[in-house]
Amino acid sequence: MIDFKKHTLANGLTVIAHRDSSSPMAAFNLLYKVGSRNESPDKTGFAHLFEHLMFSGSVNVPSFDDPLQMAGGENNAFTNNDYTNYYETLPKENIETAFWLESDRMFGLNINEQSLAVQKNVVVEEFNQRYLNQPYGDLWLLLRKLAYNVHPYQWPTIGKETSHITNATLDDVRDFYQRFYSPNNAILSVTGDFDYQYIFDLAQNWFGDLPAQRLDGSIIPQEPKQTDARYLEVEREVPTSALYKVYHMTDRLGREYHATDMLSDILSNGRSSRLYRNLVQERRLFTEVNAYLSGDVDPGLFVFSGKLSEGVSFDAAEAAIAEEIDRVINEKISDYELEKVKNKYEASIVFGETSILNKAMNLGYYEMLGDAGMINTEVDSYRAVTADDIAQAAASLLVDSNSSTLHYIAKK
């Protein structure tokens, strides 16, 4: 059980404090409720670009890293489809340094032509290296566009194309900053050996005077139900052909979410899982094969991916996956197999809670979903899933009319 207290400042900033006396370190996590799903279709990649700009210095702190390193801390950030997360770990005695730095860049990020030009070049280079010039790098550029017609999940966090970044103007990024980087669009979570009131007082001192902003009121278009199977073939200079098959699934708070997550583990978590034992070890159809969730807040994707063994056709590979889907729907999952997967979830969650940073991140994430208290109910939610729940989840989503298939063919 993770005990925590929550307080909301008058400007809308949500502050969550958790006391952990086991470590001399503290974790500071600031989550902004903005990701690539909040971008316009003609200006994609902005949330990720902003992650870079946030390290370009602020009005009163030209270098974000220097004072943090002098305080014995380190920091990083990440952006995904749904949110952007900034975090610091540092000795608990220096926690106020994190409050100072993060409040300053929330208050006044130093966006100018020079810093924008530098970060645009960095992001474009990342786009080229990781998505265009790396084997299988354009996978999600292709697959998301195939699976989604209207939802912003149709482009990856890096964006649709480099021109959206190179054409970004100072006015564009300042507008994005004002719409999303404000206290009333953020969740601050702090873990460490502190009194709760001490953290709330620090939050009030450093963030309390920052004004709330008028938030972006755009409605995110929801993807209509897919009614026909979709296919795409591409040929690339890659070592081996690969099969990717995705199905639309429930959202993060959907009733079937936990059963769907466990379905992916029944199929492919580890070398004792079904796909590895049957399709890699025994039938040697794939050199590697996986099933996993895209991990989105809105309805996301259930993903099959596999590298085909030499001489195996796409038809044979797809038929083998279809057989495994049929098995999980029509043959009862054994108690042993179900308990093994549940134990893995529980172990993963419990071990994750030994990290002060993980706890700070998870408190922020669950609060974004609507209730930080979910951090204490996840194990029970997985424990409550039955074999029938998993079979029903598979039967409802793993149907051809809900699928998008990409044949990634190795050029000969």
Side-chain angles (χ1 to χ4, degrees):
M1 174 69 73
I2 296 176
D3 294 321
F4 66 88
K5 287 192 177 180
K6 184 170 72 173
H7 174 65
T8 304
L9 304 187
N11 59 17
L13 177 67
T14 300
V15 185
I16 300 173
H18 163 65
R19 185 164 194 170
D20 184 334
S21 303
S22 67
S23 172
M25 301 294 287
F28 181 106
N29 191 78
L30 190 58
L31 181 154
Y32 289 93
K33 291 180 274 188
V34 55
S36 57
R37 69 172 179 170
N38 302 104
E39 298 164 346
S40 302
D42 59 343
K43 293 178 181 176
T44 64
F46 271 50
H48 175 249
L49 173 63
F50 243 88
E51 178 196 322
H52 286 258
L53 284 169
M54 288 286 275
F55 290 94
S56 297
S58 52
V59 172
N60 299 305
V61 186
S63 170
F64 189 88
D65 290 338
D66 289 349
L68 190 67
Q69 290 171 357
M70 290 175 66
E74 54 186 28
N75 72 95
N76 212 330
F78 62 84
T79 310
N80 61 30
N81 296 320
D82 302 302
Y83 64 98
T84 307
N85 205 67
Y86 300 87
Y87 56 91
E88 290 83 34
T89 54
L90 68 173
K92 65 180 183 181
E93 293 81 3
N94 297 332
I95 187 64
E96 195 164 2
T97 301
F99 278 88
W100 165 50
L101 293 171
E102 289 291 3
S103 65
D104 201 64
R105 66 179 176 181
M106 181 189 286
F107 164 74
L109 186 64
N110 185 22
I111 308 173
N112 54 53
E113 291 286 3
Q114 182 181 6
S115 62
L116 177 59
V118 169
Q119 295 308 326
K120 283 163 63 173
N121 287 336
V122 172
V123 171
V124 168
E125 185 61 25
E126 179 182 346
F127 199 127
N128 289 331
Q129 284 190 4
R130 295 182 56 191
Y131 293 85
L132 301 182
N133 300 324
Q134 180 166 281
Y136 313 100
D138 62 349
L139 158 65
W140 284 105
L141 290 166
L142 300 166
L143 204 48
R144 286 189 174 279
K145 188 176 180 181
L146 182 65
Y148 291 101
N149 287 329
V150 301
H151 194 286
Y153 287 167
Q154 66 188 270
W155 57 83
T157 306
I158 195 70
K160 283 183 180 177
E161 51 190 75
T162 56
S163 65
H164 289 189
I165 298 302
T166 56
N167 294 335
T169 67
L170 206 53
D171 286 342
D172 288 336
V173 296
R174 282 174 173 161
D175 175 66
F176 194 84
Y177 178 60
Q178 290 172 354
R179 285 190 293 139
F180 296 109
Y181 280 79
S182 61
N184 49 322
N185 199 41
I187 300 166
L188 167 61
S189 47
V190 179
T191 59
D193 189 11
F194 307 111
D195 290 336
Y196 295 125
Q197 192 57 49
Y198 176 66
I199 296 301
F200 297 150
D201 289 345
L202 284 177
Q204 178 62 42
N205 185 47
W206 288 102
F207 289 91
D209 291 337
L210 305 187
Q213 301 288 343
R214 183 174 182 177
L215 298 180
D216 182 90
S218 302
I219 297 174
I220 296 173
Q222 295 303 298
E223 189 70 18
K225 181 180 175 64
Q226 183 175 335
T227 56
D228 295 298
R230 301 169 187 168
Y231 295 93
L232 177 66
E233 286 186 1
V234 297
E235 196 174 60
R236 297 284 190 271
E237 295 282 358
V238 292
T240 184
S241 295
L243 169 67
Y244 301 94
K245 198 173 188 73
V246 299
Y247 300 81
H248 293 281
M249 56 168 281
T250 185
D251 62 62
R252 182 58 181 82
L253 296 176
R255 187 175 57 84
E256 293 184 335
Y257 176 82
H258 294 91
T260 305
D261 197 11
M262 292 183 67
L263 168 64
S264 71
D265 275 14
I266 290 283
L267 289 170
S268 81
N269 189 344
R271 295 196 165 208
S272 63
S273 63
R274 295 184 176 198
L275 295 186
Y276 186 83
R277 282 190 290 109
N278 298 337
L279 306 189
V280 176
Q281 282 189 322
E282 294 180 11
R283 301 176 67 180
R284 300 186 182 280
L285 296 171
F286 294 88
T287 57
E288 63 176 75
V289 61
N290 292 289
Y292 55 93
L293 313 186
S294 58
D296 302 309
V297 172
D298 287 343
L301 298 174
F302 189 101
V303 184
F304 287 97
S305 67
K307 303 281 174 48
L308 275 60
S309 298
E310 184 70 27
V312 173
S313 69
F314 281 100
D315 285 345
E318 286 198 65
I321 288 179
E323 289 174 23
E324 295 300 327
I325 291 173
D326 185 69
R327 281 189 58 214
V328 83
I329 293 173
N330 295 305
E331 297 178 13
K332 188 173 178 61
I333 298 168
S334 70
D335 291 342
Y336 170 80
E337 194 173 20
L338 184 62
E339 188 63 21
K340 181 184 70 172
V341 171
K342 288 183 178 182
N343 288 342
K344 283 186 176 180
Y345 276 102
E346 183 166 357
S348 174
I349 292 170
V350 171
F351 285 132
E353 291 176 357
T354 62
S355 160
I356 56 170
L357 179 58
N358 283 351
K359 286 190 285 190
M361 285 183 175
N362 287 336
L363 285 166
Y365 173 73
Y366 287 119
E367 181 64 19
M368 178 195 67
L369 292 180
D371 179 10
M374 289 173 63
I375 198 170
N376 291 320
T377 60
E378 281 293 82
V379 170
D380 291 341
S381 296
Y382 283 108
R383 282 283 173 201
V385 172
T386 67
D388 286 343
D389 293 334
I390 296 173
Q392 288 172 12
S396 67
L397 73 94
L398 300 181
V399 296
D400 284 344
S401 60
N402 188 37
S403 70
S404 298
T405 304
L406 171 62
H407 291 178
Y408 208 102
I409 304 170
K411 189 179 289 185
K412 295 182 179 177

